[in-house]
Amino acid sequence: MGTSAQLHSEKAGTYHSDVQSPVCSVQDFYHHPELGPGDLEQIARAHEYQQLSRGTMLLQEGQHANAYYCIGSGIVRSFATNPSGKDITTGFTCRGQIAIEVASLFLGVPTKENFQTLSDCQVWKIPLISFHKLFNQIPAFASWGREWMSQALLMYKLRALRMITETAKDRYLRLQREQPELLQQVPLKYIASFLGVTDTSLSRIRKEIARGN
Amino acid sequence: MGTSAQLHSEKAGTYHSDVQSPVCSVQDFYHHPELGPGDLEQIARAHEYQQLSRGTMLLQEGQHANAYYCIGSGIVRSFATNPSGKDITTGFTCRGQIAIEVASLFLGVPTKENFQTLSDCQVWKIPLISFHKLFNQIPAFASWGREWMSQALLMYKLRALRMITETAKDRYLRLQREQPELLQQVPLKYIASFLGVTDTSLSRIRKEIARGN
DNA sequence: AAAAGTACTTGCCCTATGTCAAGAAATCAA
DNA sequence: TTGATTTCTTGACATAGGGCAAGTACTTTT
């Protein structure tokens, strides 16, 4: 690891995430006031626990998503590929979050996004078919889903808005403030394209910040 | 209206939308394979038809959304206000689309967006409470909702991605290609902030395109 | 330990877009 | 009709960020 390791880590690091306990159980992903213990058990049974090694592709452009993943530990990067060949990081999914390609999964279209683990990960995987059953059998699960989607929609709206209203530096400072762990575990180039700049520019932005805002 | 009227309209125009028939009925908004005629009637009854005059605010920053609107005719603009006072257009809702602030409506938080009619509009309004009943009573309606949300999520993801990968000119050309009616009915400044540039820059972009790409 | 690969920084130059201010044209108010 | 307002354009100048290429430091492989 480069400069960021020198600045932030106790010892010369790697991009592998530090060892950290996973989220306790898959039930932690489904908090909702109307979901009772019985519901949660039924939901939990629909998931399969998996250990994935770094670099695993969960989903590749052109495929049809048929499951989503609750991330117990590790980091997943999603990215889209430009016609000109470059890949643009569209998001990071961390511990406690859900890695999912909504459009492909729920609209049945081939995905335009790729999902790749950036570190060894512990995940709970649930197939679409199981999700669908739960959605129809447990009204509170459908409500949970609607709220999750609302939250996700809000995040993407905010992201689009911030791409307009904030400078690249603003966006970097926000990321540093809100998800500092990403800066320590993810190569700069992925951070850069996620923020909408080149790695060269991000490097200069960091330098400027280091000199004293 | 300025140059765009000279270029595109038959006669000296105004920003009022041309007279056009509204979408036939509110049922047109709820196409879904699992929704039967009985369901659709029940859904339709939950809506109230309204005629709104130009400039009506459907929702203002800080309020709690308690309904959404199916747009039969006219155009609604949504915008967010910058800390620095400027307003940024976040979207346009046209005939056949739904004007809704998902986060406020489904998460119960005060909205950070404003919704304003840019022309006289014919709409069908449905209160949250009616929506909620339908969501719980008609499984197919919940499925419809999930698919609608998936589609909306996809659009916002694409918007964020395009703010990164495309130039302002690209984005303008795309808008011209995909929603030409907007360019003829909406003041340039709103288009500009929606595209993420100043009206000055957009004016230059248009000039460049007019000269011959 | 050497070689190869990856991550990050830096310099040089260029372009897209922003800011500010003025002016022309269209629209609205009365 | 006249004056006020809004819409759109244009010019001069400033700045953020991109493209390319070189260089350094760290990491992985062998």
Side-chain angles (χ1 to χ4, degrees):
Chain A
M1 187 185 276
T3 300
S4 92
Q6 294 162 17
L7 294 175
H8 301 300
S9 297
E10 331 71 274
K11 60 175 189 176
T14 76
Y15 285 116
H16 295 81
S17 64
D18 297 342
V19 174
Q20 56 182 8
S21 55
V23 172
C24 305
S25 93
V26 68
Q27 302 197 0
D28 297 338
F29 289 83
Y30 295 97
H31 282 305
H32 186 85
E34 298 164 29
L35 278 172
D39 297 327
L40 286 170
E41 275 200 25
Q42 187 182 349
I43 292 168
R45 276 197 303 275
H47 292 72
E48 181 196 350
Y49 177 78
Q50 290 186 339
Q51 305 209 145
L52 306 174
S53 58
R54 181 191 194 183
T56 304
M57 295 298 299
L58 302 183
L59 186 63
Q60 290 191 50
E61 197 172 345
Q63 294 179 336
H64 288 255
N66 59 12
Y68 66 80
Y69 300 81
C70 302
I71 309 299
S73 72
I75 298 181
V76 173
R77 177 177 84 105
S78 41
F79 61 98
T81 308
N82 238 10
S84 44
K86 291 179 187 171
D87 78 50
I88 305 291
T89 299
T90 52
F92 301 100
T93 313
C94 302
R95 189 165 81 116
Q97 300 178 316
I98 294 177
I100 180 173
E101 217 293 69
V102 167
S104 178
L105 194 62
F106 294 144
L107 300 177
V109 301
T111 179
K112 289 175 179 164
E113 258 181 315
N114 302 271
F115 286 70
Q116 169 199 45
T117 60
L118 288 185
S119 60
D120 294 349
C121 289
Q122 299 172 270
V123 305
W124 287 276
K125 176 180 182 174
I126 174 171
L128 173 60
I129 196 164
S130 307
F131 172 89
H132 199 249
K133 275 183 201 152
L134 295 171
F135 187 89
N136 286 317
Q137 285 173 9
I138 307 177
F141 183 76
S143 292
W144 170 87
R146 194 185 67 202
E147 293 195 11
W148 185 91
M149 293 273 272
S150 300
Q151 189 68 48
L153 195 66
L154 172 61
M155 297 305 282
Y156 278 108
K157 267 169 93 160
L158 271 177
R159 176 162 157 78
L161 182 60
R162 287 170 177 161
M163 292 307 304
I164 292 180
T165 56
E166 298 182 343
T167 65
K169 184 178 172 182
D170 291 338
R171 298 195 292 272
Y172 179 79
L173 287 171
R174 174 185 298 281
L175 193 68
Q176 187 176 254
R177 192 170 354 112
E178 298 181 351
Q179 301 194 264
E181 69 284 6
L182 282 181
L183 297 186
Q184 289 160 40
Q185 294 172 33
V186 175
L188 199 68
K189 62 180 176 182
Y190 297 149
I191 303 280
S193 73
F194 177 66
L195 294 178
V197 294
T198 59
D199 52 350
T200 307
S201 284
L202 182 53
S203 185
R204 293 199 176 99
I205 287 167
R206 283 154 58 96
K207 185 203 215 173
E208 189 190 332
I209 291 171
R211 275 205 309 257
N213 278 22
Chain B
M1 188 184 274
T3 300
S4 92
Q6 294 162 19
L7 293 175
H8 301 302
S9 297
E10 329 74 274
K11 58 175 187 176
T14 75
Y15 286 117
H16 294 82
S17 65
D18 297 341
V19 174
Q20 57 181 8
S21 53
V23 171
C24 305
S25 92
V26 68
Q27 301 196 3
D28 297 339
F29 289 84
Y30 296 96
H31 282 305
H32 186 86
E34 298 164 29
L35 277 172
D39 296 328
L40 285 170
E41 276 200 23
Q42 187 182 350
I43 292 167
R45 276 196 303 275
H47 293 72
E48 180 196 350
Y49 177 78
Q50 291 185 339
Q51 303 208 147
L52 306 175
S53 59
R54 181 191 193 185
T56 305
M57 296 297 302
L58 302 182
L59 185 63
Q60 291 191 49
E61 197 174 344
Q63 294 178 335
H64 288 255
N66 59 12
Y68 65 80
Y69 299 82
C70 302
I71 308 299
S73 72
I75 298 181
V76 173
R77 177 178 84 105
S78 41
F79 60 98
T81 308
N82 238 10
S84 44
K86 290 178 187 171
D87 79 49
I88 305 291
T89 298
T90 52
F92 301 101
T93 313
C94 303
R95 190 165 81 117
Q97 300 179 317
I98 295 177
I100 180 173
E101 216 295 69
V102 168
S104 177
L105 194 63
F106 294 143
L107 300 177
V109 300
T111 178
K112 289 175 179 164
E113 256 180 317
N114 303 271
F115 286 70
Q116 169 198 46
T117 60
L118 288 185
S119 60
D120 294 349
C121 290
Q122 299 173 271
V123 306
W124 287 277
K125 175 180 181 174
I126 175 171
L128 173 60
I129 197 166
S130 307
F131 172 90
H132 199 249
K133 274 183 202 153
L134 295 171
F135 188 90
N136 286 317
Q137 284 173 11
I138 307 177
F141 183 77
S143 291
W144 170 86
R146 193 185 67 202
E147 292 194 12
W148 185 92
M149 293 274 272
S150 300
Q151 190 67 46
L153 195 67
L154 173 60
M155 297 305 282
Y156 279 108
K157 267 169 92 159
L158 271 178
R159 176 161 158 78
L161 182 60
R162 286 171 178 160
M163 291 308 304
I164 292 180
T165 56
E166 298 182 342
T167 65
K169 183 177 173 184
D170 291 338
R171 298 195 292 272
Y172 178 78
L173 288 170
R174 175 186 296 281
L175 192 68
Q176 187 175 253
R177 194 171 352 113
E178 298 181 352
Q179 301 194 264
E181 69 283 7
L182 282 182
L183 297 186
Q184 288 160 41
Q185 294 171 32
V186 176
L188 199 69
K189 62 179 177 183
Y190 297 148
I191 303 280
S193 73
F194 178 65
L195 294 178
V197 293
T198 59
D199 52 350
T200 307
S201 284
L202 181 52
S203 184
R204 293 200 175 98
I205 287 168
R206 281 153 59 96
K207 184 203 215 173
E208 188 191 333
I209 291 171
R211 277 204 309 257
N213 279 23

